[in-house]
Amino acid sequence: MLKSKVAVQVISSGMLAEDTLMLGEAYMKQWKIPQGQPVAMTFGSLKQHVKVLPVTRYDGIRISQSLARKMGISNGAALRINYKSGSATLSLGPLIGILISRDYPGTPDKPFGSITMFCKELVDGCAAQGGHVCFFTPGQLSGGQQTVEGWIYAGGWQRASLPIPNVINNRLTSRKLENKPSVQHFFKEVKSRFQTTVFNEKFLDKTEVFEALKKDESALRYLPESYSLRSFATFKAMCSKHANIFLKPVTGSLGKGIIRVSKTETGGYQAQFTTTTGSRKQLYPNQLKVYSAISAKMKTVRYQVQQGLQLIEIQKRPVDFRALVQKNVSGKWKITSIVARTAGGQHFVSNLARGGTLSTVSEAISKSNLTSGRADTSSRLQHAALLIAKGIETHIPAHFGELGIDLAIDTSGRVWLLEVNSKPSKNDNTPLNDNKIRPSVRMVIQYSRFLSGF
């Protein structure tokens, strides 16, 4: 059985016509591709009629320079190939597009800033699995387009014009960019015109996630009590019911803007605000005074109020867990990694951006003050993350291929959901090893292959 991944050899246009491909003879026999007769060749949105000629004792594909230019590929590219005899269509691909927030053309060795390494891993992963990846920004989109102007890697980063990809992974890290009319129009257009699949097509907000999961029986047990904070009555009820509560910006990330409110021994309340250097504490005589103090913030920021949890700690620093859950080559949710995050000394949130530290789950559990249920902690976290991912897929009408799911364990060993991120950072969830291509990167390519039929 031949591999369905082939190496591409680019031949100068004077020696090979643009409408002619040369393919290893064994492939032509295996797929019963008619010799020298016109077949439709597709690569992303590009479709053109070609004749296919056999080459003996050769296991690659040869194409002309002018066709390679149209495809936006270079000599030595590795693509997957399949042939459908019913429609006489020879498909090459997959062509994967990564929509990123910005590029830096002035620094050609690092055109994507801090995610350049992630992008290069995608290039290397495509070379290993078969596929071609390009990177583009909202600034490179225009209406009615048949192609995208993006970046490819061919011995170095370079600009190229490519067909519309089979699959687009939305890696935009700003809601403002994602909501631009040009971006939303592009998504709509490529889905309807070229049957492109877009995954991780939108940001999630905290209230939306919790409201959706309240409808899911399997995920319900992981939800702390939580409401959209719209009135003093809600705030008062939650303060009266729980020893401490968290107010979280509905659209926040990296622990920004979180406020912890707790009762003091004297009957007053303490509010703890996250700041860039640590946390700031403020005392208030009663609930109304706390609410008045934060109501100014509520004019510009929507908050979710959430039951405070007695999280496990390491040396008085709270610990939580980030599970990266991704779709695999069969389109099924799988756990790629789970890491423990311990809050920094002056912080009550564990984000790495705020001085938190990473460790393995077992290491964190062994050092923590967890009293019961240590043995199966890892499997319970995995089980919870998978159920939550499936719940989001069922109850939120958008396509996701990867989710960063933040979980916590309280001192009695119970697992809780903190939040779900549809744009997991490519630094924060890295497994603690130095493999060249991260498992999370390999999974993006595998799922893209699944979506595009390769």
Side-chain angles (χ1 to χ4, degrees), residues 314 340 358-368 432:
I314 296 175
L358 282 186
S359 63
T360 62
V361 173
S362 56
E363 200 181 337
I365 294 298
S366 68
K367 290 179 182 170
S368 78
L432 306 169

Side-chain angles (χ1 to χ4, degrees), residues 38-93:
V39 299
M41 185 217 78
T42 66
F43 179 69
S45 64
L46 175 68
K47 188 170 186 176
Q48 101 168 40
H49 283 89
V50 295
K51 297 191 291 287
V52 187
L53 301 177
V55 187
T56 52
R57 292 191 296 280
Y58 177 63
D59 64 357
I61 187 167
R62 290 178 184 149
I63 65 173
S64 73
Q65 220 162 10
S66 58
L67 181 55
R69 204 172 295 119
K70 267 190 187 177
M71 294 166 72
I73 64 171
S74 58
N75 193 45
L79 298 176
R80 298 190 87 82
I81 177 171
N82 64 40
Y83 181 73
K84 291 196 170 70
S85 54
S87 57
T89 302
L90 180 68
S91 300
L92 301 175

Side-chain angles (χ1 to χ4, degrees), residues 219-391:
L220 201 53
R221 74 184 106 149
Y222 302 115
L223 304 183
E225 190 176 358
S226 164
Y227 305 97
S228 184
L229 181 57
R230 293 203 175 95
S231 68
F232 176 62
T234 307
F235 179 78
K236 183 181 175 184
M238 287 291 278
C239 280
S240 304
K241 196 168 176 184
H242 301 290
N244 60 72
I245 59 170
F246 281 87
L247 309 182
K248 297 180 174 183
V250 162
T251 59
S253 64
L254 302 176
K256 286 177 192 153
I258 294 177
I259 304 165
R260 179 166 72 179
V261 178
S262 37
K263 290 176 188 165
T264 63
E265 289 173 2
T266 57
Y269 285 85
Q270 175 184 273
Q272 220 174 336
F273 302 87
T274 47
T275 68
T276 46
T277 52
S279 64
R280 179 173 62 81
K281 294 177 184 174
Q282 188 88 33
L283 291 170
Y284 299 92
N286 54 42
Q287 294 167 353
L288 191 57
K289 291 285 189 208
V290 187
Y291 190 76
S292 302
I294 57 175
S295 54
K297 293 179 187 287
M298 287 168 60
K299 289 188 175 79
T300 52
V301 179
R302 286 187 303 134
Y303 281 93
Q304 184 191 30
V305 56
Q306 202 173 84
Q307 162 192 353
L309 304 168
Q310 194 65 48
L311 299 193
I312 58 168
E313 297 178 332
I314 296 175
Q315 294 167 341
K316 300 209 179 322
R317 297 177 184 190
V319 178
D320 66 22
F321 303 87
R322 161 60 65 93
L324 181 64
V325 190
Q326 292 176 290
K327 292 273 189 83
N328 67 4
V329 77
S330 317
K332 301 273 191 297
W333 286 113
K334 288 279 180 247
I335 303 286
T336 303
S337 62
I338 303 189
V339 292
R341 303 182 301 183
T342 306
Q346 302 303 311
H347 295 268
F348 59 90
V349 292
S350 65
N351 300 72
L352 303 192
R354 298 180 179 274
T357 52
L358 282 186
S359 63
T360 62
V361 173
S362 56
E363 200 181 337
I365 294 298
S366 68
K367 290 179 182 170
S368 78
N369 60 341
L370 178 62
T371 50
S372 59
R374 284 179 172 231
D376 63 343
T377 306
S378 191
S379 61
R380 287 189 302 116
L381 287 168
Q382 289 185 30
H383 186 65
L386 287 171
L387 288 178
I388 288 161
K390 287 170 186 167

